[in-house]
C-alpha cells in the first residue's frame, strides 16, 4: 500500500492517454473486461462481516472504489469532450455522420457502469473521496456524469434524434436507433 498512490496515478495517466487516441486502440470486449475487473475488486474487497457498520470500508475497499470511480470519470470526461466537439462543429452534418466510433465505443461501458452503480449502491454509497487521485480538470465523476447527460440531451435536441421511430411499412413495428441512451 506504500506505493499505491504513485502506481494509481501512473495507471490513471496511462488510461487517460489510451482514451485520448482516435480511434481508441482497444477492442470493446477488453474495455468491458476492465470495468468488470473494477466491479470485482470492489465487491471482493468490501467488508463481509454483518456486524460492520454501514459506510465502513477497509483501506483496500476504499482504494478499489476510488480507482474505479476515477477510471469511470476519465471515460465520461472523454465522452464529454467528443460530444462537445460535435456540438461545436457546425458543418451541416447529420447525426449519423457525427456519431463517431469513439462515442459509440464509450457509451455502452458508461451504461454498464451506471447500471452496476444503481444495482450496488450499498457497496459504494457514500462514495469515497477521490481527491488524492485527481489528475486534471474540474469536477468529480458525478459532475462529469451530469454534464454528459446534459450534452446528450443537447445532442438529441440539436439533431432531432428520435430513439424509436415508427416503421413506414408497419406502424406496429419500431425501428431502434443505434444511439445508446
Amino acid at each position: 500500500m506504500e506505493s499505491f498512490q504513485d502506481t494509481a496515478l501512473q495507471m490513471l495517466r496511462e488510461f487517460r492517454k489510451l482514451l485520448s487516441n482516435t480511434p481508441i486502440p482497444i477492442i470493446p470486449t477488453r474495455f468491458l473486461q476492465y470495468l468488470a475487473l473494477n466491479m470485482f475488486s470492489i465487491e471482493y474487497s468490501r467488508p463481509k462481516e454483518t456486524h460492520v457498520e454501514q459506510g465502513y470500508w477497509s483501506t483496500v475497499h476504499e482504494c478499489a472504489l476510488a480507482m474505479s470511480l476515477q477510471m469511470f470519470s476519465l471515460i465520461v470526461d472523454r465522452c464529454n469532450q467528443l460530444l462537445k466537439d460535435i456540438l461545436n462543429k457546425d458543418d451541416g452534418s447529420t447525426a449519423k455522420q457525427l456519431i463517431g466510433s469513439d462515442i459509440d465505443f464509450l457509451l455502452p461501458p458508461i451504461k454498464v457502469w451506471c447500471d452496476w452503480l444503481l444495482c450496488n449502491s450499498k457497496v459504494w454509497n457514500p462514495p469515497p473521496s477521490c481527491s488524492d487521485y485527481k489528475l486534471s480538470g474540474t469536477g468529480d465523476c458525478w459532475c462529469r456524469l451530469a454534464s454528459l447527460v446534459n450534452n446528450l440531451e443537447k445532442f438529441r435536441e440539436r439533431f432531432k434524434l428520435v430513439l424509436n421511430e415508427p416503421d413506414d411499412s408497419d406502424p406496429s413495428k419500431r425501428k431502434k436507433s443505434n444511439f445508446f441512451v
Side-chain angles (χ1 to χ4, degrees):
M1 290 305 292
E2 296 83 27
S3 63
F4 177 78
Q5 187 168 355
D6 292 335
T7 306
L9 287 170
Q10 180 63 30
M11 186 275 301
L12 289 170
R13 279 197 258 343
E14 290 175 12
F15 188 64
R16 183 176 57 189
K17 182 69 176 161
L18 176 80
L19 292 174
S20 70
N21 293 312
T22 301
I24 296 174
I26 184 171
I27 60 174
T29 306
R30 180 70 51 159
F31 201 69
L32 288 171
Q33 287 173 341
Y34 291 158
L35 292 180
L37 285 170
N38 283 338
M39 293 171 197
F40 174 79
S41 67
I42 291 168
E43 181 62 32
Y44 185 75
S45 65
R46 77 182 175 106
K48 305 292 188 271
E49 296 94 32
T50 56
H51 67 277
V52 175
E53 167 183 339
Q54 176 68 23
Y56 167 78
W57 298 315
S58 66
T59 303
V60 174
H61 184 69
E62 188 170 352
C63 289
L65 281 168
M67 289 309 306
S68 297
L69 290 173
Q70 285 302 298
M71 285 181 74
F72 175 66
S73 183
L74 290 173
I75 295 166
V76 172
D77 189 47
R78 179 64 176 148
C79 198
N80 271 328
Q81 290 171 355
L82 293 168
L83 278 170
K84 286 177 186 176
D85 290 346
I86 290 170
L87 289 168
N88 291 335
K89 193 187 289 187
D90 193 14
D91 61 359
S93 299
T94 66
K96 285 183 180 182
Q97 293 170 328
L98 290 176
I99 295 178
S101 61
D102 287 346
I103 292 176
D104 289 339
F105 181 85
L106 294 173
L107 285 175
I110 289 171
K111 179 173 182 342
V112 167
W113 187 255
C114 288
D115 288 346
W116 183 85
L117 288 172
L118 286 171
C119 294
N120 295 283
S121 64
K122 290 181 182 176
V123 175
W124 62 267
N125 196 16
S129 170
C130 297
S131 60
D132 292 342
Y133 308 104
K134 192 173 276 189
L135 293 175
S136 65
T138 58
D140 59 7
C141 68
W142 312 112
C143 293
R144 289 176 176 170
L145 185 58
S147 249
L148 176 65
V149 171
N150 291 333
N151 286 332
L152 287 170
E153 183 62 25
K154 287 176 193 173
F155 183 86
R156 188 176 69 88
E157 287 174 6
R158 178 171 176 190
F159 295 105
K160 312 279 188 279
L161 189 63
V162 178
L163 296 178
N164 291 319
E165 300 175 26
D167 189 359
D168 295 331
S169 62
D170 185 359
S172 65
K173 292 184 180 178
R174 300 256 179 202
K175 287 193 285 186
K176 296 208 182 209
S177 169
N178 57 351
F179 189 70
F180 301 104
V181 181

